[in-house]
Every structure is written in structure tokens, then in C-alpha cells.
Amino acid sequence: MAETFEPKIVAFVCNWCTYAGADLAGTSRTKYETNVRIIRFPCTGRIDFMLLIKAFQNGADGIIVSGCHPNDCHYTSGNFHARRRWMVFKSMLEFMGFPTERITFSWVSAAEGKKWADLVNETTDSVRALGSFTDYKNLDFSQFNQMDHEAIAR
Amino acid sequence: MELKLISTSDIAVFVDGLLKAGKVVVAPVLKQSGKVFFKPVQSFSEVATDYIQTAFSAKEVVFPKVEELFTYQHNEEGGLDIKDQLDRIPETVVWGLRPCDAAGFDYLNKFFLQENPDVYFKARYDKLTLVTISCSKCDESCFCTSVDSHPGDTKGSDILLTAMEGKYYVEVITEKGYSLITSNSTLFTSTDTLSKESFLAKPATQFSMDEIKDRIQNAYASAEWKHASMGCYSCGACAFACPTCTCFDIQDEGTQDHGRRVRCWDACGLSQFTKHASGHNPRNTQTERRRQRLMHKFKYSVENLGVVSCVGCGRCIRVCPSHLNIFENILSVTK
Amino acid sequence: MKQLQDKAAELLENGTVNLLIGFSEDLGKRPVPCFIEKAEEANILVFNQECKNNLSVYLHKKEVKDAVKIGLVANIATLRSVMQLLSENQLWSLTLTYLTVNTAGELVVLSSAEELEAYVQANFPTCRPEDKEMLDKLNAMTRQERWAFWKDQLSECVKCYACRAVCPMCYCTVCTTECNQPQWIKTSADTSGNFEYHTMRAMHLGGRCINCGECGRICPAGIPVHLLTAQMNQEIEQEFGGKTGWSLKGGYAMNSFKPGDKENFIK
């Protein structure tokens, strides 16, 4: 009996808002999908765009990036820098043909436990529908390496 | 040595025959960028013929730009499963090398197969047959005649073809070459020795290695190195395009649970190449790095392995963003 | 040409310049960078449309910086690079004189940063037509077609770092790719590693690249990597305003923000 595909979602969240919001979802005993692994950052401004690519490279099928609402950043302006960075990075990825629908960006505050749960549910559903991210996993074909013999004969 | 002839129109039949027999055929292919690269082909129609030299050499066939040395995986018993590719290398034919490239393979052979032979190189080289085609044209970057070779040289090849009117003159040099011919022997007829001279290109001779071998002994201290390397951008393009550059890095990629060890190309021109763990870098300027590259090619290889490791293909000059000229540099530092 | 050679000789003779970086012809009749320290060598200088190398990258090289007073024969892209470098406080130890040829074919000598700024702003170039054509073609493709295009292109990359080496904006003494604790960017040249490297480099150039196009032109594997930065900078200029290589004042798009930045994808 084949296993049904369950996506792996990695969430990059800021400590002061989204992480606290996720905590609130937990203490409120809100049930939501369990596919997400959370990585806690002090601020979304700390999130290097390379980390998102690394997550995909290590087997993630989808990503959530979330932080404080604009004007509410614990460090005043970290999320403003992050927002600019995400705008540019997203359009860069789209230009390279990367499926940016696998990445969800959001603002979730410490009081929005329900929003967090809904966000995770929505993202899990949409990534499940998109399927496993094989395009990226199949990128590592290197000419003249015999680990993938079929590729040589292609 | 066996001498044969094959008609020009039968070349395609021969190569397609090799493919049908299940061999991997690697030949020059023209890409959209206008550059020619050595790639595995599926039919002779993909092979490029009208070009002076490929952008990169064919050394990837025995020394890939990324080579998985082995993969590891923790198993249920708590041990490690280690797998490598050594017994899965296919029979490969490189078609359309130039004599300078074949001389490059000769050097790679000498370098990798010393007292402790490199098993990865050996596994690939043992399954490889090299079919070279003599050069009928050259450009101002070619200088094989200055480095103990020439456009009709058989050094390093298993078979050397020379295009003559309507046919190819086939010099079968090694056992490997002979077994390739016998796989489709009806296409070949025997012949006596023919003269290749009139069909070969005539690259300008810049110097002779006999002169250089003496003069380079004192070149290390030359004041000309700074000027010779001013234009150098400190990238690895020359080293990666070169048929004889063999420097590599070994990296482990993976997690505690599974991963792989890879060997990948490295270049002495890159600024961090000789950086020590202490932070000290003995070759801290581009002058020193370029000097090292040229001294290695023209002096240290000669002393260590008995052969100059530059084959005069001119790729370094062509791919360099500032077209730094290796033979002009050698001449100026050995003046 | 003679005017350029004479001026160069004069600057070297009277000590305004200790080292002149320009172009000469190699054996293959290609214009290549040359470095002149004596007035009598100035007759090898050439300058025409084929002189595309961005010579400002040499201003980061130790052997060049040691000369302090440097003359640069520059096309407009090179001058814009210098503007961008000046705005990033990178050339403070050098005294620079610039020699260029304007669209009317006249020799122009610029001796100060202010003169440089005025010239650059008066002669600001537009996107090259062949680049615009490629960008339009790529943007008209579907996402899958673009993925296939870049996958095919990036599988050719051998990670020689020539693109980084010729870029005047890539002046980090130790590049991210050379960081190995942790190994941030893979050293091996397989496609996913190449994808990481080129994405990272394009992002690090966001709002700084002046689109000289050298990275793509000199790539030994023939990959048009300059299109990545060209596209990104086009987007940055549209969204956030501000031109690269335009003004001596610093503060570029990715270093700053506006509270009113608008996007349509953050939930």
C-alpha cells in the first residue's frame, strides 16, 4: 500500500510575533496540520534568502516565512528590510522559473494564534496539491557521473 | 601501428555503429552560445565539425567537474552503507579530440597513475578510447609546435585520423584503437604510409622547449612576473578549460545520516587556494599565483614527470576575460 | 586614437598618473586590458566599440592600488561602475583620472569625482537592445519554460568564478562562496550548487549592478548570467526608484526601505 504524499513544510518565523502566535495556537489547543517544522529567528530581517534555497535543497516541499506586521517590528525596522528583500527575491526566483507558489509570506502577530493555524493549514493543503518538489531534487544530474546511468544515455 | 583508410561518408556509419554497440560517444557539440563543448551524443549528426577548438577540454571524461567518490547511508543495523561508481563506468569513446588534447590525456595519465594510482581516474581511463582528428586549421592562440607536439601528433591517442580528399587516413596506434576498428572492420581498407604534411595546419612556433628548459631555471626571480600577471582577474577559467590542470578539492556534502563525498575542480589562480588554517596565505598576490601556474606548467612538471604539462591548445588564452597570453608571458620572463 | 595616446603620455610624463589602465591589441587583434607606467608605451593604446572590458575591476587589485595615482581609459559602463564604487566608499585611497571618448568621437578627460558625476549623468546609457530582447523573450515564457532554460544553462556552469572576478562590485576579500564554516555555497559545480551560487550573486548585486554585461559576455561556458542581474535591477528600479551608478551619494535600494513599500503577496 503506497504512502500518500505528506509535504514537508519549513517555517522561518520571528521570535517576537509569529513564534509567540504559534505558541498561542498551542496553548489554545488549536488543532492544525503537523507538517510544519518551525525555525525561530530573532527577526525576519535576519532571514537570509539563501536559507530558503537551502531548505528546498534539504528536502522541503514548501516554505512559510512570517514575522511582525509592518510598524510592529520588535527591532523597529527589521521587517521593512525583510519585505524589500522578499519582493526582490520572489521576482528573482520567478524569473529563474522557480515555483514561488511553494513559498508563503505573511505577517502574523503574537495575538493571532488562529491566523497561524489557518496559515499552516492552507499552506499544507496547497503544497500537498502541488506535490513533492521533485524538480529541485532532480537538479543534481552531473554529466559523466554514473550514479544516474540513464541520464548519460539520454 | 596499423594504417587504414575510411571514406568520409563512412565516418557517420562508424560512429553510429559505436553508439548502437552501446558505447557512450563523447564528441564536440555546438551549443546555442556559439561555443563548442564535448558532450555525449546520440547520433553522428550532432557532432560539430567546423571549429578551431572547443571551449573546454575533454578531461571531464576522466576527471569530471563534480565526481561522486562515494555515498554513505546509515542502515538499520547501525552501520554505514558506502557505495561508489567504480564498477559502473561505461565503455566510452571520445571522438574528435585534437592532437593537443590527446597529449593532454598523456599528461593526465602520467600524473594520476604514479606509484599510488588514482583509482577513480584509472577506472574511467581503462574504459576509454581516444579518437583524435588532426588539425587542418589553427588560430593565433595555438602553439602546439612550441611544446613538443604538432598538428599531426599521435601522442596520447588510440587512433589518429587525418582528413584527406574524400577520405580519412587512419593511424591505429594502440590495442584499444585496434579493437575499436575491428568492431566495424568492413568500413576500413589497409594502406601504406601516406604523407600528412600537406593536410596539416601550420601554427606559428613561438619557442622550443629545449630553449625554455634552460632559461626557465632562473625565471622565478624575474621582475617581469608583475607585468605578466597585471591583467589577471584571479578566476579559474584558464585552469578549468585546460586539458592538463588537475587540481581538485574534496568536500563532504550531507548530514550525519546520509551524504556523499565529492571531488570537484579547484584552481591555483583563486585567491584562497593556498590559504592556511592559520590565516596565512603564502601566495597572497596575483603575481605569485600566476607565476606558480606558469612555472608548474613549464618547469616543475618537466622536473617531476619528465613532460611539459602545457600542450599548446590555447584555450587559456581564449577563455581568459583579458586574453592573457601564456606563451608571450613565458617568453618575457625567460628573456 | 592619437589624441588618446598623446594625452595618456602627457599624464604619465607630468606625474598626474603613475599607472594607466587602458586597452591594447593582442595577437588575435582583440582589445585586451593593458597597464602602462611609462609615457613611451602609450602608443599601444587603442579605444573603440570593441573595448568592452570593465577596467574599474582592476582598481581593487593590490598591484594597481599601490600606484595610487591611476589613469583609467573607460567606456561609459566603466565610468558608471566607478560612480557606484565611489558611492560605496571603495576608492578612497586612489587619485583617479578618467579618459573617455564621447558619442561625437571626442576625447574627454575627467579629473575629479564631480566632473565624473556630471559626465555620467549627461551620458547615461539605456539597456542594450540585445539584452532587452532576451529579457522580453524570457519574461514571455511560462514558468516551466524558464525553469528548463535556466536548468539547461546552469548545468554548463563549471564554477570558475570568472563572472565574479570581472565584476567591479564583487570586491569582498573573502567571498561567501569561500566560507566553509559552514559551507554556505557548495563548491561543486552540479546544477543545484550552480543555481545557489548564481541566485546568491545576483541578490548580492541587487541595486548595485550597473549592467555592464561583462559577466555574461566572458563566461567561458557561454551562459548569459548578466540577464539575472539585468532583470533584477530592472525590477528594483521600477519598484523602489533610484538608478545605479548615477550619483556619488550612497544609499541604494536594498540598504534602505520605505514604510510605504507596497507588495501584493504577503498574507
Side-chain angles (χ1 to χ4, degrees):
Chain A
M1 171 92 161
E3 274 176 39
T4 50
F5 164 66
E6 276 305 316
K8 290 192 185 73
I9 317 264
V10 177
F12 297 87
V13 304
C14 87
N15 176 61
W16 302 98
C17 284
T18 308
Y19 195 78
D23 256 352
L24 179 61
T27 53
S28 312
R29 304 274 192 266
T30 313
K31 286 213 174 357
Y32 60 94
E33 298 270 19
T34 54
N35 304 55
V36 79
R37 285 101 159 129
I38 297 184
I39 304 179
R40 182 172 66 116
F41 284 77
C43 179
T44 46
R46 168 62 181 95
I47 302 172
D48 192 314
F49 53 88
M50 281 312 300
L51 293 170
L52 274 63
I53 299 203
K54 288 277 181 212
F56 281 120
Q57 205 177 65
N58 282 311
D61 299 299
I63 289 182
I64 296 176
V65 183
S66 180
C68 305
H69 287 265
N71 290 310
D72 287 344
C73 177
H74 185 84
Y75 303 100
T76 321
S77 55
N79 57 357
F80 287 137
H81 285 293
R83 176 165 60 183
R84 274 219 172 173
R85 204 177 293 148
W86 298 343
M87 287 164 78
V88 175
F89 189 52
K90 183 169 182 288
S91 71
M92 163 113 268
L93 287 182
E94 273 161 7
F95 183 66
M96 294 184 91
F98 206 93
T100 49
E101 58 271 18
R102 289 185 182 269
I103 311 177
T104 306
F105 297 92
S106 72
W107 310 125
V108 172
S109 82
E112 291 177 315
K114 179 158 192 321
K115 183 174 178 188
W116 173 250
D118 289 343
L119 184 71
V120 173
N121 286 336
E122 267 169 43
T123 309
T124 309
D125 286 340
S126 68
V127 177
R128 195 184 285 121
L130 287 168
S132 173
F133 193 15
T134 47
D135 264 356
Y136 202 77
K137 291 179 189 127
N138 287 342
L139 262 188
D140 269 343
F141 154 55
S142 299
Q143 189 171 270
F144 304 120
N145 270 283
Q146 276 65 38
M147 299 312 270
D148 183 4
H149 202 181
E150 279 66 48
I152 299 278
R154 212 190 294 139
Chain B
M1 167 126 71
E2 298 261 337
L3 300 169
K4 303 261 186 218
L5 291 172
I6 180 171
S7 77
T8 310
S9 49
D10 277 340
I11 289 283
V13 181
F14 180 60
V15 175
D16 286 333
L18 295 173
L19 286 162
K20 265 208 226 48
K23 294 198 196 303
V24 173
V25 175
V26 177
V29 171
L30 178 68
K31 298 280 291 198
Q32 219 185 11
S33 54
K35 296 185 202 263
V36 181
F37 296 95
F38 278 102
K39 297 242 168 268
V41 294
Q42 300 312 312
S43 111
F44 186 73
S45 55
E46 296 172 38
V47 178
T49 44
D50 188 26
Y51 65 95
I52 303 262
Q53 186 53 289
T54 57
F56 290 140
S57 69
K59 73 181 176 189
E60 271 216 80
V61 190
V62 285
F63 178 47
K65 68 180 183 187
V66 178
E67 184 171 17
E68 281 186 348
L69 302 181
F70 58 80
T71 58
Y72 63 90
Q73 169 93 51
H74 275 278
N75 58 31
E76 277 132 23
E77 293 88 51
L80 265 182
D81 286 328
I82 298 189
K83 291 201 185 75
D84 64 39
Q85 318 170 36
L86 291 173
D87 51 4
R88 274 194 272 172
I89 312 289
E91 292 284 335
T92 306
V93 175
V94 181
W95 176 272
L97 284 175
R98 298 275 186 234
C100 50
D101 299 327
F105 275 94
D106 180 62
Y107 172 81
L108 291 177
N109 220 328
K110 293 190 161 69
F111 177 83
F112 279 109
L113 302 179
Q114 298 184 57
E115 309 90 67
N116 288 319
D118 185 306
V119 294
Y120 300 95
F121 175 87
K122 188 168 194 320
R124 292 178 193 279
Y125 189 76
D126 285 346
K127 295 287 182 82
L128 188 64
T129 311
L130 299 172
V131 182
T132 310
I133 304 184
S134 310
C135 302
S136 54
K137 38 185 189 169
C138 63
D139 67 12
E140 63 289 320
S141 303
C142 296
F143 62 103
C144 56
T145 49
S146 311
V147 284
D148 296 339
S149 185
H150 63 92
D153 200 357
T154 55
K155 181 164 51 176
S157 304
D158 295 305
I159 300 175
L160 177 68
L161 301 172
T162 305
M164 302 184 171
E165 288 103 351
K167 59 184 187 283
Y168 278 83
Y169 179 51
V170 184
E171 291 168 86
V172 188
I173 299 133
T174 64
E175 276 303 317
K176 268 190 199 165
Y178 189 65
S179 47
L180 208 70
I181 300 287
T182 47
S183 69
N184 211 335
S185 52
T186 51
L187 297 171
F188 297 88
T189 53
S190 287
T191 177
D192 294 326
T193 315
L194 296 176
S195 168
K196 297 185 293 200
E197 258 329 287
S198 55
F199 300 100
L200 298 179
K202 309 261 178 305
T205 300
Q206 308 293 340
F207 49 73
S208 80
M209 273 316 290
D210 284 330
E211 301 161 22
I212 296 292
K213 272 180 196 161
D214 284 322
R215 300 200 318 234
I216 204 158
Q217 300 303 322
N218 300 320
Y220 191 83
S222 168
E224 281 300 308
W225 286 112
K226 181 170 162 206
H227 195 254
S229 64
M230 278 296 244
C232 180
Y233 287 102
S234 183
C235 66
C238 55
F240 291 3
C242 175
T244 62
C245 276
T246 50
C247 284
F248 57 83
D249 187 17
I250 296 187
Q251 292 269 325
D252 287 339
E253 292 172 3
T255 62
Q256 278 192 319
D257 179 68
H258 67 275
R260 61 182 194 167
R261 176 166 292 173
V262 290
R263 165 161 74 183
C264 54
W265 290 351
D266 207 345
C268 58
L270 296 170
S271 62
Q272 309 296 301
F273 187 73
T274 46
K275 191 170 182 184
H276 295 174
S278 62
H280 169 63
N281 189 344
R283 290 188 212 133
N284 211 3
T285 63
Q286 205 54 36
T287 308
E288 292 164 309
R289 292 189 278 267
R290 184 144 178 84
R291 175 174 64 187
Q292 158 62 21
R293 182 175 162 68
L294 266 55
M295 293 295 279
H296 169 84
K297 293 268 177 236
F298 287 88
K299 180 173 189 283
Y300 309 149
S301 300
V302 175
E303 288 166 358
N304 296 338
L305 294 172
V307 66
V308 60
S309 53
C310 175
V311 295
C313 69
R315 285 190 179 87
C316 53
I317 304 171
R318 296 185 200 97
V319 298
C320 177
S322 55
H323 299 303
L324 275 190
N325 193 310
I326 191 171
F327 60 77
E328 285 188 330
N329 289 158
I330 282 291
L331 284 169
S332 73
V333 301
T334 54
K335 245 203 291 277
Chain C
M1 202 82 78
K2 185 90 182 48
Q3 258 199 315
L4 173 71
Q5 292 170 351
D6 289 341
K7 191 68 188 171
E10 182 195 313
L11 292 171
L12 284 160
E13 194 67 55
N14 66 24
T16 314
V17 153
N18 290 335
L19 172 69
L20 187 94
I21 311 176
F23 292 91
S24 62
E25 250 185 18
D26 78 344
L27 285 176
K29 300 272 181 281
R30 292 171 289 218
V32 294
C34 71
F35 301 81
I36 306 176
E37 289 173 285
K38 299 198 197 65
E40 26 318 349
E41 293 168 341
N43 56 9
I44 62 170
L45 288 172
V46 299
F47 194 61
N48 54 45
Q49 300 285 47
E50 291 308 305
C51 297
K52 297 190 176 142
N53 291 61
N54 189 331
L55 299 177
S56 60
V57 64
Y58 290 114
L59 297 173
H60 300 302
K61 206 168 161 156
K62 180 186 183 298
E63 290 93 325
V64 168
K65 279 159 78 162
D66 285 345
V68 182
K69 291 195 223 157
I70 301 171
L72 197 65
V73 176
N75 51 33
I76 188 67
T78 310
L79 293 175
R80 280 183 66 199
S81 291
V82 178
M83 285 292 298
Q84 185 65 27
L85 288 170
L86 288 170
S87 76
E88 293 179 12
N89 289 321
Q90 285 305 309
L91 303 173
W92 49 268
S93 65
L94 306 174
T95 309
L96 294 162
T97 311
Y98 317 92
L99 296 169
T100 187
V101 174
N102 65 17
T103 41
E106 299 153 343
L107 178 70
V108 176
V109 183
L110 306 162
S111 311
S112 74
E114 290 73 29
E115 277 178 38
L116 173 66
E117 186 183 44
Y119 182 83
V120 164
Q121 291 186 353
N123 291 280
F124 207 71
T126 50
C127 183
R128 277 180 297 272
E130 58 273 24
D131 290 347
K132 182 155 194 332
E133 195 192 313
M134 265 316 285
L135 283 176
D136 287 342
K137 193 163 148 219
L138 281 167
N139 282 314
M141 290 184 190
T142 63
R143 181 187 76 68
Q144 278 83 350
E145 284 170 340
R146 278 200 296 273
W147 179 255
F149 174 82
W150 286 113
K151 179 177 165 179
D152 180 51
Q153 293 287 342
L154 293 178
S155 63
E156 296 295 340
C157 174
V158 288
K159 290 273 214 72
C160 65
Y161 301 122
C163 46
R164 176 189 74 179
V166 297
C167 178
M169 298 310 147
C170 279
Y171 51 73
C172 290
T173 45
V174 179
C175 174
T176 314
T177 55
E178 286 156 352
C179 169
N180 64 359
Q181 285 180 342
Q183 190 68 49
W184 214 186
I185 307 277
K186 290 202 282 195
T187 53
S188 40
D190 52 23
T191 316
S192 68
N194 297 343
F195 189 86
E196 279 175 22
Y197 164 64
H198 287 286
T199 314
M200 177 215 74
R201 201 181 88 90
M203 285 297 291
H204 282 193
L205 287 172
R208 305 169 61 227
C209 164
I210 55 91
N211 291 320
C212 65
E214 279 299 279
C215 48
R217 184 180 72 89
I218 57 89
C219 172
I223 306 170
V225 290
H226 62 297
L227 295 176
L228 294 172
T229 44
Q231 168 75 10
M232 193 187 43
N233 280 296
Q234 201 172 274
E235 298 263 347
I236 291 180
E237 202 178 307
Q238 268 164 16
E239 291 281 0
F240 310 124
K243 296 200 240 281
T244 50
W246 172 262
S247 147
L248 287 170
K249 283 200 294 290
Y252 50 92
M254 298 312 290
N255 212 10
S256 53
F257 64 88
K258 289 202 195 76
D261 281 337
K262 283 251 174 305
E263 45 41 50
N264 59 3
F265 59 88
I266 305 183
K267 297 205 175 145

